[in-house]
Amino acid sequence: MQEWNSYLPLEITQQAEKADITVLRSPPPLQFPPPETNPSDSQPDRPRLAIGRARSAETRFEIYTKTTSSEEPPVLAHRFTIRLRPDQASSYLLAAARHELGHALGIWGHSPLQTDALYFFPGSQLSAHLQSGYQYAQTYL
């Protein structure tokens, strides 16, 4: 939080109902993609089982109306809940917290730059990226 506080004033509260961002040290739920149908299967209508995706962190949001005073109409507001897997190495936990807090502060997308807090590279693309880098190194080194 201290890292983001230099950009936006943040305040810690112990009263969960007043918090716009709640950080929980609990594993995010597994994500299961919808079952797919395998056309080459002898039973094409039978869905294939999908393996759940374990994650180190997750941010979810809720939009609600907030009343600031009796004279003013309610305004739309949002609350975020960040879940951080507590069994991670401290450096991974810090990186995941920094990344998810960036989402909670309004940075919705991801960055392709490894040095950015919002960097994200899914495993399948990372494998392809590493493979192409390896092929590049073999060709030019």
Side-chain angles (χ1 to χ4, degrees):
M1 193 169 123
Q2 291 173 347
E3 293 174 4
W4 286 109
N5 209 21
S6 60
Y7 303 103
L8 297 166
L10 302 173
E11 180 182 324
I12 295 176
T13 180
Q14 299 302 320
Q15 299 170 323
E17 65 278 357
K18 290 187 175 184
D20 293 319
I21 302 170
T22 303
V23 179
L24 304 172
R25 289 189 65 140
S26 65
L30 289 175
Q31 277 187 329
F32 290 96
E36 298 176 15
T37 304
N38 187 351
S40 64
D41 196 343
S42 61
Q43 298 174 329
D45 294 332
R46 183 186 69 183
R48 290 189 296 181
L49 292 177
I51 297 174
R53 181 176 157 231
R55 295 164 296 151
S56 62
E58 171 190 73
T59 300
R60 291 193 180 199
F61 69 94
E62 168 193 8
I63 298 192
Y64 67 101
T65 56
K66 182 177 185 178
T67 305
T68 54
S69 73
S70 59
E71 295 85 34
E72 298 291 323
V75 296
L76 281 179
H78 54 275
R79 276 188 207 105
F80 287 86
T81 301
I82 298 172
R83 292 184 181 273
L84 299 169
R85 180 176 293 287
D87 58 353
Q88 302 178 78
S90 60
S91 60
Y92 289 130
L93 187 61
L94 180 60
R98 183 182 303 119
H99 179 99
E100 298 303 327
L101 195 52
H103 286 314
L105 293 173
I107 304 171
W108 294 96
H110 289 111
S111 171
L113 301 175
Q114 289 182 347
T115 56
D116 289 348
L118 274 288
Y119 170 74
F120 178 73
F121 219 113
S124 61
Q125 290 180 350
L126 178 59
S127 298
H129 179 71
L130 291 174
Q131 181 64 28
S132 67
Y134 176 72
Q135 288 171 346
Y136 176 85
Q138 280 186 319
T139 305
Y140 294 101
L141 295 179

